[in-house]
Amino acid sequence: QVQLQASGGGLVQAGGSLRLSCAASGTFRSINDMGWYRQAPGEERELVATISSGGRSNYVESVKGRFTISRDNAKNTVYLQMDSLKAEDTAVYYCKAKIGRMGFVGTSNYWGQGTEVTVSS
């Protein structure tokens, strides 16, 4: 009924850029906070950036000044613009959204399937 579809990952050289997208589809009454997470091999999943429904954002220290999170509420989509990429940014990136379903009380967290980012040095 509700799905998040992440896209935009790929292979890029160090110093390059990528833009990730994650679109929500289905039937729902609201999308609240959205965020991007990443998981490198052998590492725990970590929060990269979040953005509120009003556009207020937050970032993990290691990506500040390089990554920008944004959203287009009309398209139910969150983006992650990644500039000045480093080898340590290599990971599978996942989007998450807090969504209120039609006919249901409250909200639930939904995850996208992940998109792989590889940065070569």
Side-chain angles (χ1 to χ4, degrees):
Q1 188 69 19
V2 177
Q3 290 185 313
L4 295 176
Q5 188 68 233
S7 62
L11 175 64
V12 64
Q13 294 183 12
S17 298
L18 285 173
R19 190 178 78 153
L20 308 183
S21 300
C22 181
S25 62
T27 302
F28 44 83
R29 57 174 166 82
S30 66
I31 301 178
N32 300 100
D33 292 351
M34 306 182 80
W36 288 94
Y37 296 71
R38 66 186 180 188
Q39 187 167 21
E43 303 290 335
E44 295 185 2
R45 189 171 300 185
E46 69 168 343
L47 176 66
V48 178
T50 60
I51 186 166
S52 72
S53 60
R56 288 176 282 108
S57 59
N58 194 22
Y59 302 89
V60 68
E61 188 68 27
S62 61
V63 309
K64 288 182 178 177
R66 300 189 298 118
F67 291 9
T68 303
I69 189 170
S70 62
R71 63 192 288 169
D72 186 336
N73 291 331
K75 297 180 178 179
N76 299 318
T77 299
V78 62
Y79 305 95
L80 186 67
Q81 177 66 45
M82 304 185 294
D83 298 320
S84 301
L85 282 162
K86 304 175 180 179
E88 52 262 43
D89 295 317
T90 295
V92 177
Y93 285 70
Y94 300 88
C95 60
K96 189 181 80 172
K98 189 177 293 292
I99 296 176
R101 295 279 303 278
M102 294 293 296
F104 291 82
V105 176
T107 60
S108 298
N109 289 322
Y110 290 83
W111 288 90
Q113 86 284 3
T115 184
E116 188 170 0
V117 172
T118 302
V119 183
S120 62
S121 59

Short mmCIF file of all heavy atoms in Angstrom, two decimals, residues 8-20 36-41 43-49 59-68 80-94 115-121:
data_model
loop_
_atom_site.label_atom_id
_atom_site.label_comp_id
_atom_site.label_asym_id
_atom_site.label_seq_id
_atom_site.Cartn_x
_atom_site.Cartn_y
_atom_site.Cartn_z
N GLY A 8 19.37 6.50 -7.79
CA GLY A 8 20.40 7.49 -8.01
C GLY A 8 21.80 7.07 -7.62
O GLY A 8 22.75 7.82 -7.89
N GLY A 9 21.95 5.92 -7.01
CA GLY A 9 23.27 5.46 -6.63
C GLY A 9 24.08 5.05 -7.85
O GLY A 9 23.57 4.92 -8.96
N GLY A 10 25.37 4.86 -7.63
CA GLY A 10 26.25 4.46 -8.71
C GLY A 10 27.70 4.53 -8.30
O GLY A 10 28.03 4.65 -7.12
N LEU A 11 28.55 4.46 -9.30
CA LEU A 11 29.99 4.52 -9.12
C LEU A 11 30.49 5.91 -9.51
O LEU A 11 30.18 6.41 -10.60
CB LEU A 11 30.68 3.45 -9.96
CG LEU A 11 32.20 3.43 -9.99
CD1 LEU A 11 32.74 3.12 -8.60
CD2 LEU A 11 32.69 2.41 -11.00
N VAL A 12 31.27 6.52 -8.63
CA VAL A 12 31.76 7.86 -8.89
C VAL A 12 33.18 7.99 -8.33
O VAL A 12 33.53 7.32 -7.36
CB VAL A 12 30.83 8.92 -8.26
CG1 VAL A 12 30.81 8.80 -6.74
CG2 VAL A 12 31.21 10.32 -8.69
N GLN A 13 33.99 8.83 -8.96
CA GLN A 13 35.33 9.07 -8.47
C GLN A 13 35.32 10.02 -7.27
O GLN A 13 34.41 10.84 -7.12
CB GLN A 13 36.21 9.66 -9.57
CG GLN A 13 36.46 8.72 -10.73
CD GLN A 13 37.39 9.33 -11.77
OE1 GLN A 13 38.03 10.35 -11.53
NE2 GLN A 13 37.48 8.68 -12.91
N ALA A 14 36.32 9.90 -6.43
CA ALA A 14 36.46 10.81 -5.31
C ALA A 14 36.45 12.25 -5.80
O ALA A 14 37.09 12.58 -6.80
CB ALA A 14 37.73 10.51 -4.52
N GLY A 15 35.73 13.10 -5.08
CA GLY A 15 35.57 14.48 -5.49
C GLY A 15 34.35 14.74 -6.35
O GLY A 15 33.99 15.90 -6.57
N GLY A 16 33.72 13.69 -6.83
CA GLY A 16 32.56 13.82 -7.68
C GLY A 16 31.27 13.97 -6.89
O GLY A 16 31.28 14.11 -5.67
N SER A 17 30.15 13.93 -7.62
CA SER A 17 28.84 14.17 -7.03
C SER A 17 27.83 13.14 -7.48
O SER A 17 27.93 12.57 -8.57
CB SER A 17 28.33 15.57 -7.42
OG SER A 17 29.17 16.59 -6.95
N LEU A 18 26.84 12.92 -6.65
CA LEU A 18 25.67 12.11 -6.96
C LEU A 18 24.46 12.74 -6.28
O LEU A 18 24.60 13.39 -5.25
CB LEU A 18 25.82 10.68 -6.46
CG LEU A 18 26.73 9.72 -7.21
CD1 LEU A 18 26.85 8.41 -6.44
CD2 LEU A 18 26.20 9.46 -8.62
N ARG A 19 23.29 12.53 -6.86
CA ARG A 19 22.06 12.92 -6.22
C ARG A 19 21.15 11.72 -6.08
O ARG A 19 20.78 11.09 -7.07
CB ARG A 19 21.32 14.02 -6.99
CG ARG A 19 20.15 14.61 -6.18
CD ARG A 19 19.43 15.73 -6.88
NE ARG A 19 18.51 15.25 -7.90
CZ ARG A 19 17.42 15.89 -8.30
NH1 ARG A 19 17.12 17.07 -7.75
NH2 ARG A 19 16.65 15.38 -9.24
N LEU A 20 20.79 11.40 -4.86
CA LEU A 20 19.88 10.31 -4.56
C LEU A 20 18.46 10.84 -4.45
O LEU A 20 18.24 11.95 -3.99
CB LEU A 20 20.26 9.61 -3.26
CG LEU A 20 21.71 9.14 -3.12
CD1 LEU A 20 21.89 8.42 -1.79
CD2 LEU A 20 22.11 8.25 -4.29
N TRP A 36 17.86 10.04 5.44
CA TRP A 36 18.75 9.13 4.74
C TRP A 36 19.69 8.47 5.74
O TRP A 36 20.24 9.14 6.63
CB TRP A 36 19.57 9.86 3.68
CG TRP A 36 18.77 10.26 2.48
CD1 TRP A 36 18.18 11.46 2.25
CD2 TRP A 36 18.50 9.45 1.34
NE1 TRP A 36 17.54 11.45 1.04
CE2 TRP A 36 17.71 10.24 0.45
CE3 TRP A 36 18.82 8.14 0.98
CZ2 TRP A 36 17.26 9.75 -0.77
CZ3 TRP A 36 18.37 7.66 -0.24
CH2 TRP A 36 17.60 8.46 -1.10
N TYR A 37 19.88 7.18 5.57
CA TYR A 37 20.80 6.39 6.37
C TYR A 37 21.76 5.66 5.43
O TYR A 37 21.47 5.50 4.24
CB TYR A 37 20.05 5.36 7.21
CG TYR A 37 19.13 5.96 8.26
CD1 TYR A 37 17.95 6.59 7.89
CD2 TYR A 37 19.44 5.88 9.61
CE1 TYR A 37 17.10 7.14 8.84
CE2 TYR A 37 18.59 6.42 10.57
CZ TYR A 37 17.43 7.05 10.17
OH TYR A 37 16.59 7.58 11.12
N ARG A 38 22.88 5.21 5.95
CA ARG A 38 23.79 4.44 5.14
C ARG A 38 24.42 3.33 5.97
O ARG A 38 24.53 3.44 7.19
CB ARG A 38 24.88 5.32 4.51
CG ARG A 38 25.85 5.95 5.50
CD ARG A 38 26.78 6.91 4.78
NE ARG A 38 27.73 7.53 5.69
CZ ARG A 38 28.56 8.51 5.35
NH1 ARG A 38 28.54 8.99 4.10
NH2 ARG A 38 29.39 9.02 6.25
N GLN A 39 24.84 2.29 5.27
CA GLN A 39 25.47 1.15 5.92
C GLN A 39 26.60 0.64 5.05
O GLN A 39 26.38 0.20 3.92
CB GLN A 39 24.45 0.04 6.18
CG GLN A 39 25.00 -1.10 7.02
CD GLN A 39 23.90 -2.01 7.53
OE1 GLN A 39 22.81 -2.05 6.98
NE2 GLN A 39 24.19 -2.74 8.59
N ALA A 40 27.81 0.72 5.58
CA ALA A 40 28.99 0.21 4.91
C ALA A 40 29.21 -1.24 5.33
O ALA A 40 28.75 -1.67 6.40
CB ALA A 40 30.21 1.06 5.25
N PRO A 41 29.93 -2.02 4.52
CA PRO A 41 30.19 -3.42 4.89
C PRO A 41 30.84 -3.54 6.26
O PRO A 41 31.83 -2.86 6.55
CB PRO A 41 31.12 -3.90 3.78
CG PRO A 41 30.79 -3.03 2.62
CD PRO A 41 30.49 -1.68 3.21
N GLU A 43 29.74 -2.54 9.04
CA GLU A 43 29.43 -1.42 9.93
C GLU A 43 27.94 -1.39 10.24
O GLU A 43 27.12 -1.97 9.52
CB GLU A 43 29.84 -0.10 9.29
CG GLU A 43 31.31 -0.01 8.90
CD GLU A 43 32.22 0.07 10.11
OE1 GLU A 43 31.76 0.52 11.18
OE2 GLU A 43 33.39 -0.33 9.98
N GLU A 44 27.60 -0.72 11.32
CA GLU A 44 26.20 -0.51 11.65
C GLU A 44 25.61 0.60 10.78
O GLU A 44 26.32 1.48 10.31
CB GLU A 44 26.05 -0.14 13.13
CG GLU A 44 26.45 -1.23 14.09
CD GLU A 44 26.18 -0.87 15.53
OE1 GLU A 44 25.65 0.23 15.79
OE2 GLU A 44 26.48 -1.68 16.40
N ARG A 45 24.30 0.53 10.58
CA ARG A 45 23.62 1.57 9.84
C ARG A 45 23.66 2.87 10.64
O ARG A 45 23.41 2.88 11.85
CB ARG A 45 22.18 1.16 9.56
CG ARG A 45 21.44 2.09 8.62
CD ARG A 45 20.09 1.51 8.21
NE ARG A 45 20.24 0.23 7.52
CZ ARG A 45 19.23 -0.43 6.97
NH1 ARG A 45 17.99 0.06 7.03
NH2 ARG A 45 19.46 -1.60 6.38
N GLU A 46 23.97 3.97 9.96
CA GLU A 46 24.06 5.25 10.63
C GLU A 46 23.17 6.28 9.95
O GLU A 46 22.95 6.25 8.74
CB GLU A 46 25.51 5.77 10.67
CG GLU A 46 26.08 6.17 9.32
CD GLU A 46 27.38 6.95 9.42
OE1 GLU A 46 27.70 7.47 10.51
OE2 GLU A 46 28.10 7.04 8.40
N LEU A 47 22.70 7.20 10.74
CA LEU A 47 21.91 8.32 10.23
C LEU A 47 22.82 9.30 9.53
O LEU A 47 23.86 9.70 10.07
CB LEU A 47 21.17 9.00 11.38
CG LEU A 47 20.36 10.25 11.03
CD1 LEU A 47 19.20 9.90 10.13
CD2 LEU A 47 19.86 10.92 12.31
N VAL A 48 22.44 9.72 8.32
CA VAL A 48 23.21 10.68 7.55
C VAL A 48 22.59 12.06 7.62
O VAL A 48 23.27 13.05 7.89
CB VAL A 48 23.34 10.24 6.08
CG1 VAL A 48 24.10 11.28 5.27
CG2 VAL A 48 24.03 8.89 5.99
N ALA A 49 21.30 12.16 7.35
CA ALA A 49 20.62 13.45 7.32
C ALA A 49 19.13 13.25 7.52
O ALA A 49 18.58 12.22 7.14
CB ALA A 49 20.88 14.18 6.01
N TYR A 59 22.37 17.03 9.99
CA TYR A 59 23.36 16.18 9.34
C TYR A 59 24.31 15.58 10.35
O TYR A 59 24.62 16.21 11.38
CB TYR A 59 24.19 16.97 8.32
CG TYR A 59 23.39 17.63 7.24
CD1 TYR A 59 22.90 18.92 7.41
CD2 TYR A 59 23.14 16.98 6.04
CE1 TYR A 59 22.17 19.54 6.41
CE2 TYR A 59 22.42 17.59 5.03
CZ TYR A 59 21.93 18.87 5.22
OH TYR A 59 21.21 19.48 4.22
N VAL A 60 24.81 14.40 10.03
CA VAL A 60 25.91 13.85 10.78
C VAL A 60 27.16 14.69 10.48
O VAL A 60 27.31 15.24 9.38
CB VAL A 60 26.13 12.36 10.44
CG1 VAL A 60 26.63 12.19 9.01
CG2 VAL A 60 27.06 11.70 11.43
N GLU A 61 28.04 14.81 11.46
CA GLU A 61 29.16 15.73 11.34
C GLU A 61 30.03 15.45 10.12
O GLU A 61 30.52 16.39 9.47
CB GLU A 61 30.02 15.67 12.61
CG GLU A 61 31.12 16.72 12.68
CD GLU A 61 30.58 18.12 12.83
OE1 GLU A 61 29.47 18.28 13.38
OE2 GLU A 61 31.26 19.06 12.39
N SER A 62 30.21 14.20 9.77
CA SER A 62 31.13 13.84 8.70
C SER A 62 30.69 14.29 7.31
O SER A 62 31.51 14.31 6.39
CB SER A 62 31.35 12.32 8.69
OG SER A 62 30.14 11.63 8.46
N VAL A 63 29.43 14.67 7.14
CA VAL A 63 28.96 15.08 5.82
C VAL A 63 28.58 16.56 5.76
O VAL A 63 28.21 17.05 4.69
CB VAL A 63 27.76 14.23 5.34
CG1 VAL A 63 28.08 12.75 5.45
CG2 VAL A 63 26.49 14.57 6.11
N LYS A 64 28.69 17.26 6.85
CA LYS A 64 28.33 18.68 6.87
C LYS A 64 29.19 19.46 5.89
O LYS A 64 30.40 19.29 5.84
CB LYS A 64 28.48 19.25 8.28
CG LYS A 64 27.41 18.79 9.25
CD LYS A 64 27.60 19.44 10.62
CE LYS A 64 26.51 19.01 11.58
NZ LYS A 64 26.71 19.57 12.94
N GLY A 65 28.54 20.30 5.11
CA GLY A 65 29.23 21.09 4.10
C GLY A 65 29.39 20.38 2.78
O GLY A 65 29.78 21.02 1.79
N ARG A 66 29.10 19.09 2.73
CA ARG A 66 29.24 18.32 1.50
C ARG A 66 27.91 17.79 0.99
O ARG A 66 27.70 17.71 -0.23
CB ARG A 66 30.20 17.15 1.70
CG ARG A 66 31.61 17.57 2.10
CD ARG A 66 32.57 16.39 2.07
NE ARG A 66 32.20 15.34 3.01
CZ ARG A 66 31.88 14.09 2.67
NH1 ARG A 66 31.93 13.73 1.39
NH2 ARG A 66 31.57 13.21 3.59
N PHE A 67 27.02 17.39 1.89
CA PHE A 67 25.73 16.82 1.52
C PHE A 67 24.62 17.82 1.82
O PHE A 67 24.69 18.59 2.79
CB PHE A 67 25.45 15.54 2.30
CG PHE A 67 26.31 14.36 1.95
CD1 PHE A 67 27.41 14.49 1.11
CD2 PHE A 67 26.01 13.12 2.47
CE1 PHE A 67 28.20 13.40 0.80
CE2 PHE A 67 26.79 12.02 2.16
CZ PHE A 67 27.88 12.15 1.33
N THR A 68 23.56 17.77 1.00
CA THR A 68 22.39 18.60 1.21
C THR A 68 21.14 17.75 1.06
O THR A 68 20.94 17.12 0.01
CB THR A 68 22.34 19.77 0.22
OG1 THR A 68 23.53 20.55 0.33
CG2 THR A 68 21.13 20.65 0.53
N LEU A 80 18.98 13.60 -1.68
CA LEU A 80 20.25 13.81 -1.01
C LEU A 80 21.29 14.16 -2.07
O LEU A 80 21.69 13.29 -2.86
CB LEU A 80 20.69 12.57 -0.23
CG LEU A 80 21.94 12.74 0.63
CD1 LEU A 80 21.66 13.72 1.78
CD2 LEU A 80 22.44 11.41 1.18
N GLN A 81 21.68 15.42 -2.11
CA GLN A 81 22.73 15.87 -3.00
C GLN A 81 24.07 15.67 -2.32
O GLN A 81 24.30 16.22 -1.25
CB GLN A 81 22.54 17.35 -3.35
CG GLN A 81 23.63 17.93 -4.24
CD GLN A 81 23.64 17.33 -5.63
OE1 GLN A 81 22.59 17.17 -6.24
NE2 GLN A 81 24.82 17.00 -6.12
N MET A 82 24.94 14.87 -2.92
CA MET A 82 26.22 14.52 -2.34
C MET A 82 27.33 15.08 -3.21
O MET A 82 27.49 14.68 -4.36
CB MET A 82 26.36 13.01 -2.20
CG MET A 82 25.24 12.36 -1.39
SD MET A 82 25.50 10.58 -1.12
CE MET A 82 25.38 10.00 -2.81
N ASP A 83 28.09 16.01 -2.66
CA ASP A 83 29.21 16.63 -3.36
C ASP A 83 30.50 16.31 -2.63
O ASP A 83 30.50 15.91 -1.47
CB ASP A 83 29.02 18.15 -3.43
CG ASP A 83 27.80 18.57 -4.20
OD1 ASP A 83 27.50 17.97 -5.24
OD2 ASP A 83 27.12 19.54 -3.75
N SER A 84 31.61 16.50 -3.33
CA SER A 84 32.94 16.25 -2.75
C SER A 84 33.01 14.88 -2.10
O SER A 84 33.47 14.72 -0.97
CB SER A 84 33.29 17.35 -1.74
OG SER A 84 33.28 18.62 -2.35
N LEU A 85 32.56 13.88 -2.83
CA LEU A 85 32.48 12.53 -2.27
C LEU A 85 33.86 11.97 -1.95
O LEU A 85 34.84 12.23 -2.66
CB LEU A 85 31.75 11.61 -3.23
CG LEU A 85 30.23 11.77 -3.23
CD1 LEU A 85 29.61 11.17 -4.48
CD2 LEU A 85 29.64 11.12 -1.98
N LYS A 86 33.90 11.20 -0.88
CA LYS A 86 35.11 10.56 -0.41
C LYS A 86 34.93 9.05 -0.43
O LYS A 86 33.80 8.55 -0.41
CB LYS A 86 35.45 11.01 1.01
CG LYS A 86 35.59 12.51 1.18
CD LYS A 86 35.80 12.86 2.65
CE LYS A 86 35.93 14.35 2.85
NZ LYS A 86 36.11 14.70 4.29
N ALA A 87 36.03 8.33 -0.41
CA ALA A 87 35.97 6.88 -0.41
C ALA A 87 35.18 6.36 0.79
O ALA A 87 34.47 5.35 0.68
CB ALA A 87 37.37 6.28 -0.42
N GLU A 88 35.28 7.03 1.92
CA GLU A 88 34.58 6.59 3.11
C GLU A 88 33.07 6.80 3.04
O GLU A 88 32.34 6.37 3.94
CB GLU A 88 35.14 7.27 4.36
CG GLU A 88 35.22 8.77 4.27
CD GLU A 88 36.61 9.26 3.90
OE1 GLU A 88 37.23 8.66 2.99
OE2 GLU A 88 37.09 10.24 4.52
N ASP A 89 32.58 7.46 2.00
CA ASP A 89 31.15 7.59 1.78
C ASP A 89 30.55 6.34 1.13
O ASP A 89 29.32 6.25 1.00
CB ASP A 89 30.82 8.81 0.92
CG ASP A 89 31.19 10.12 1.60
OD1 ASP A 89 30.92 10.26 2.80
OD2 ASP A 89 31.73 11.00 0.90
N THR A 90 31.38 5.42 0.71
CA THR A 90 30.90 4.20 0.07
C THR A 90 30.01 3.41 1.03
O THR A 90 30.41 3.08 2.15
CB THR A 90 32.08 3.33 -0.37
OG1 THR A 90 32.82 4.01 -1.39
CG2 THR A 90 31.61 1.99 -0.92
N ALA A 91 28.80 3.12 0.60
CA ALA A 91 27.82 2.42 1.43
C ALA A 91 26.55 2.20 0.63
O ALA A 91 26.38 2.74 -0.46
CB ALA A 91 27.50 3.23 2.69
N VAL A 92 25.65 1.41 1.19
CA VAL A 92 24.29 1.34 0.71
C VAL A 92 23.49 2.41 1.44
O VAL A 92 23.51 2.46 2.67
CB VAL A 92 23.67 -0.05 0.92
CG1 VAL A 92 22.22 -0.06 0.46
CG2 VAL A 92 24.46 -1.10 0.17
N TYR A 93 22.81 3.24 0.70
CA TYR A 93 22.05 4.34 1.27
C TYR A 93 20.57 4.00 1.27
O TYR A 93 20.01 3.57 0.26
CB TYR A 93 22.29 5.64 0.49
CG TYR A 93 23.63 6.26 0.78
CD1 TYR A 93 24.80 5.66 0.33
CD2 TYR A 93 23.72 7.44 1.53
CE1 TYR A 93 26.03 6.22 0.62
CE2 TYR A 93 24.95 8.00 1.81
CZ TYR A 93 26.11 7.38 1.35
OH TYR A 93 27.33 7.95 1.64
N TYR A 94 19.92 4.20 2.41
CA TYR A 94 18.51 3.90 2.60
C TYR A 94 17.76 5.17 2.96
O TYR A 94 18.24 5.98 3.75
CB TYR A 94 18.32 2.88 3.73
CG TYR A 94 19.00 1.56 3.51
CD1 TYR A 94 20.31 1.35 3.91
CD2 TYR A 94 18.33 0.50 2.91
CE1 TYR A 94 20.94 0.14 3.73
CE2 TYR A 94 18.94 -0.72 2.72
CZ TYR A 94 20.25 -0.89 3.14
OH TYR A 94 20.86 -2.11 2.95
N THR A 115 20.01 2.04 -2.14
CA THR A 115 20.72 2.24 -3.39
C THR A 115 22.21 2.34 -3.08
O THR A 115 22.62 3.00 -2.12
CB THR A 115 20.20 3.49 -4.13
OG1 THR A 115 20.84 3.63 -5.39
CG2 THR A 115 20.40 4.76 -3.31
N GLU A 116 23.02 1.66 -3.87
CA GLU A 116 24.43 1.51 -3.57
C GLU A 116 25.25 2.66 -4.15
O GLU A 116 25.11 3.01 -5.32
CB GLU A 116 24.95 0.18 -4.10
CG GLU A 116 26.37 -0.15 -3.67
CD GLU A 116 26.77 -1.57 -4.01
OE1 GLU A 116 25.94 -2.30 -4.60
OE2 GLU A 116 27.91 -1.96 -3.70
N VAL A 117 26.11 3.22 -3.31
CA VAL A 117 27.03 4.28 -3.71
C VAL A 117 28.45 3.78 -3.51
O VAL A 117 28.81 3.35 -2.41
CB VAL A 117 26.80 5.56 -2.89
CG1 VAL A 117 27.89 6.59 -3.18
CG2 VAL A 117 25.42 6.13 -3.18
N THR A 118 29.24 3.82 -4.57
CA THR A 118 30.63 3.42 -4.50
C THR A 118 31.50 4.58 -4.97
O THR A 118 31.32 5.08 -6.08
CB THR A 118 30.91 2.19 -5.37
OG1 THR A 118 30.08 1.10 -4.94
CG2 THR A 118 32.37 1.77 -5.24
N VAL A 119 32.44 4.99 -4.13
CA VAL A 119 33.34 6.09 -4.44
C VAL A 119 34.75 5.52 -4.58
O VAL A 119 35.29 4.95 -3.63
CB VAL A 119 33.31 7.18 -3.36
CG1 VAL A 119 34.20 8.35 -3.76
CG2 VAL A 119 31.88 7.65 -3.13
N SER A 120 35.33 5.68 -5.74
CA SER A 120 36.67 5.18 -6.00
C SER A 120 37.70 6.28 -5.78
O SER A 120 37.44 7.46 -6.04
CB SER A 120 36.78 4.65 -7.42
OG SER A 120 36.55 5.67 -8.38
N SER A 121 38.88 5.90 -5.31
CA SER A 121 39.93 6.86 -5.02
C SER A 121 41.13 6.67 -5.94
O SER A 121 41.17 5.74 -6.75
CB SER A 121 40.38 6.75 -3.57
OG SER A 121 40.86 5.46 -3.28
#
